[in-house]
Amino acid sequence: MPREAGAFIAEHNTAAGGKLPLNTNGGGLFYMHSGMYGMYALQESVRQMRGTAWAQIPDARISVCHGVGGMFAASGTIIMSNQVPSAAVASRLTRSSGAKVEHVEIFGFYR
């Protein structure tokens, strides 16, 4: 809904323990922004899926990692999970949803 983002963030929904935790490693300004922050974001996603993150989200099952570079000329998004995908989910992920999908690799950090 329009104009709900401010209230959603003000209610700490994006903090650890919230409905949609973001930047659980503290983000680029806190964690260290070397110009290669995407590598640190990937590292945090892996740690969340393994259950070893400093600010671990209890029972985390999925992690979305997105980064931009080249003055916003390039971007990449990785979705990680520690759950084995069902055949139906795998099939949906490999079909085009209208968006340009260059590559889909299904892997996970299974327990």
Side-chain angles (χ1 to χ4, degrees):
M1 292 297 203
R3 301 179 189 195
E4 291 183 2
F8 185 81
I9 292 169
E11 293 167 2
H12 301 282
N13 287 305
T14 59
K19 294 178 184 177
L20 183 65
L22 301 176
N23 290 324
T24 53
N25 65 357
L29 294 176
F30 174 80
Y31 192 73
M32 193 272 281
H33 197 304
S34 65
M36 300 185 323
Y37 178 71
M39 295 304 294
Y40 302 115
L42 286 169
Q43 181 183 51
E44 178 66 9
S45 286
V46 169
R47 288 177 176 166
Q48 286 292 338
M49 294 299 92
R50 289 181 174 169
T52 61
W54 176 73
Q56 182 64 45
I57 303 303
D59 302 318
R61 297 185 320 255
I62 190 168
S63 178
V64 178
C65 182
H66 178 76
V68 295
M71 299 299 290
F72 299 101
S75 67
T77 303
I78 294 178
I79 302 170
M80 296 184 190
S81 178
N82 54 18
Q83 308 292 303
V84 178
S86 69
V89 169
S91 175
R92 282 195 307 265
L93 287 173
T94 56
R95 288 194 309 256
S96 175
S97 62
K100 182 180 178 187
V101 177
E102 293 184 16
H103 181 74
V104 173
E105 183 95 19
I106 299 173
F107 63 96
F109 298 95
Y110 311 125
R111 294 176 191 213

